[in-house]
Amino acid sequence: MKKCPNCGEKVKGRSDKIFCTPYCKSSYHYQKDIEKEDNLFRKIDKQLKLNRRLLKNYNKSGKSVVRKAALLKDGFDPKYFSNYWKNQKGDVYLFCYEYGFLEKKEGDKVKYVLVQWQEYMN
């Protein structure tokens, strides 16, 4: 008889059954997932992809302006970006892959200028 890899109990039932109970199966895979070293990397990648998707959805024309609060409400996190570009005026655009943003203040409102990466930005 096989032993459950999670608790060590004997596994009863089908010949291809691996775990003794659904609880043991769930617990085993949860522990394996926690032990993975790349959890931080997956979290960062997930946020970068979310940021990119939001920037793409809000920027249909190649360059647009959107309220910062609207992006933040949808889950955007400006601390996560993949690269940056500094223009001749000294403004620093932060990019999530090919979609970028620049924070601008207009009176008491904070907005983002959204752009798409262009060849001249190299």
Side-chain angles (χ1 to χ4, degrees):
M1 289 194 98
K2 288 193 225 174
K3 289 188 177 183
C4 177
N6 188 54
C7 67
E9 292 288 326
K10 290 183 180 180
V11 178
K12 297 175 187 170
R14 295 187 333 259
S15 62
D16 62 342
K17 191 173 177 184
I18 298 171
F19 300 94
C20 62
T21 64
Y23 173 81
C24 273
K25 180 179 179 180
S26 178
S27 177
Y28 177 82
H29 289 293
Y30 179 75
Q31 286 301 324
K32 287 292 181 189
D33 200 38
I34 287 176
E35 293 170 6
K36 287 184 182 176
E37 291 182 45
D38 62 344
N39 272 345
L40 175 64
F41 299 108
R42 283 190 296 175
K43 177 185 171 202
I44 292 169
D45 188 51
K46 184 178 177 182
Q47 185 62 52
L48 280 172
K49 287 177 181 175
L50 174 63
N51 283 358
R52 181 195 176 277
R53 187 173 69 245
L54 290 170
L55 291 173
K56 180 181 179 183
N57 289 340
Y58 276 96
N59 186 9
K60 297 290 184 188
S61 63
K63 183 176 182 183
S64 57
V65 179
V66 66
R67 287 177 297 137
K68 180 179 179 178
L71 272 174
L72 294 179
K73 184 180 72 118
D74 288 340
F76 184 79
D77 190 343
K79 294 181 288 187
Y80 292 87
F81 58 92
S82 59
N83 57 313
Y84 68 92
W85 175 70
K86 190 174 184 178
N87 67 9
Q88 292 176 345
K89 296 178 188 177
D91 297 328
V92 177
Y93 287 82
L94 303 177
F95 280 83
C96 295
Y97 306 109
E98 74 272 26
Y99 294 98
F101 61 99
L102 170 69
E103 188 172 306
K104 287 282 187 180
K105 221 173 174 187
E106 292 181 8
D108 60 339
K109 295 180 182 175
V110 181
K111 298 183 177 185
Y112 284 139
V113 177
L114 307 181
V115 296
Q116 191 169 357
W117 186 266
Q118 303 294 319
E119 279 299 315
Y120 69 85
M121 295 176 173
N122 286 330

